[in-house]
Amino acid sequence: GDRTRLNMLRALSLGCMRAVRAPVSWAAFASTAAGDQGAGAAAKGLGASESATNEDLFGSVSDIPWQTLDGNTTRMPADLEGEYRFSITEELLAPYKQNPLLMNVVTFRNASQMEINTARIQKAIRRFQRAPGDTGSPDVQIAVLTEKIKYMTEHMRVHRKDVHNRRGLQGMLNQRRKLLVYLKRTSLSRYHHVVSELGLRAS
């Protein structure tokens, strides 16, 4: 529940701060900071007391850019801005938002592609569900298939000889087409809503 996620946030926050106080980890961040401001922030972080409070630690790293430890800036998926991993809500995260290292962990900036795909599917379900817990209505099934088709299409652009997944992609396209035909026959208004929201071509 929320208590478990809150405890996890606190543990992640303390873990991130301990990593910052380690000279090797902090040096990686300091080396990518611009000008004297980055060096000052590094010195401030290295001099932090072991007994410092969470608030003091948040202040000591507030100037660190959101980036990986090797200095390469990572890209946040535009469609997942404002979404968080581990089922963390905005309310639970509010007291910790000044900690850029923690935000790197809980946002999708450094998430794996599989986790990003799952998050997009869950977002599509929430967007088109007709009632809480609805995962089987035609609207939701079409939205989920559309997300899978988007990813698989990008995959096939890179791996053109992947015959197995090309067959799977064709199967998903056929299944979505059948669901669209069914939805158009049973509820024309819902059909037009789904088609317009997902940017599909009306038949």
Side-chain angles (χ1 to χ4, degrees):
D2 284 351
R3 183 179 296 275
T4 302
R5 286 190 284 272
L6 183 58
N7 289 335
M8 181 185 67
L9 268 177
R10 288 171 178 163
L12 283 171
S13 176
L14 291 174
C16 287
M17 292 307 101
R18 292 192 184 101
V20 167
R21 287 203 297 270
V24 174
S25 297
W26 184 267
F29 276 98
S31 65
T32 62
D36 295 334
Q37 183 178 0
K44 188 175 180 181
L46 288 173
S49 169
E50 287 297 325
S51 59
T53 62
N54 285 351
E55 289 75 14
D56 294 335
L57 291 170
F58 294 163
S60 69
V61 296
S62 59
D63 294 330
I64 302 175
W66 286 15
Q67 56 190 356
T68 55
L69 282 175
D70 61 3
N72 295 324
T73 303
T74 54
R75 183 177 60 83
M76 169 75 76
D79 57 328
L80 293 178
E81 287 279 0
E83 302 281 334
Y84 303 104
R85 303 162 69 188
F86 317 122
S87 302
I88 293 173
T89 62
E90 189 78 31
E91 294 75 16
L92 287 174
L93 191 60
Y96 303 93
K97 277 199 167 182
Q98 297 304 314
N99 183 346
L101 298 179
L102 179 63
M103 295 301 291
N104 262 337
V105 174
V106 299
T107 62
F108 286 91
R109 185 176 297 273
N110 292 312
S112 66
Q113 186 61 56
M114 184 178 293
E115 194 172 359
I116 290 173
N117 293 344
T118 302
R120 285 172 172 161
I121 288 173
Q122 293 302 318
K123 186 177 180 180
I125 291 173
R126 291 194 303 271
R127 182 180 172 189
F128 288 94
Q129 63 185 2
R130 304 186 65 199
D134 172 25
T135 58
S137 64
D139 317 52
V140 172
Q141 290 188 61
I142 291 167
V144 168
L145 282 168
T146 299
E147 289 298 330
K148 292 180 178 180
I149 289 168
K150 284 179 183 177
Y151 170 70
M152 194 57 66
T153 301
E154 291 300 319
H155 172 83
M156 292 306 303
R157 285 177 182 169
V158 178
H159 306 281
R160 296 180 181 275
K161 296 184 179 180
D162 190 347
V163 178
H164 176 75
N165 279 320
R166 184 185 295 119
R167 193 175 296 121
L169 174 60
Q170 189 61 51
M172 287 189 289
L173 288 167
N174 291 336
Q175 186 179 358
R176 186 178 68 176
R177 184 172 63 251
K178 291 176 183 177
L179 286 166
L180 284 168
V181 169
Y182 170 79
L183 188 60
K184 184 177 182 180
R185 187 174 69 246
T186 56
S187 177
L188 191 58
S189 60
R190 283 165 54 196
Y191 167 80
H192 285 302
H193 171 72
V194 169
V195 166
S196 62
E197 287 293 315
L198 293 176
L200 304 177
R201 184 174 57 192
S203 57

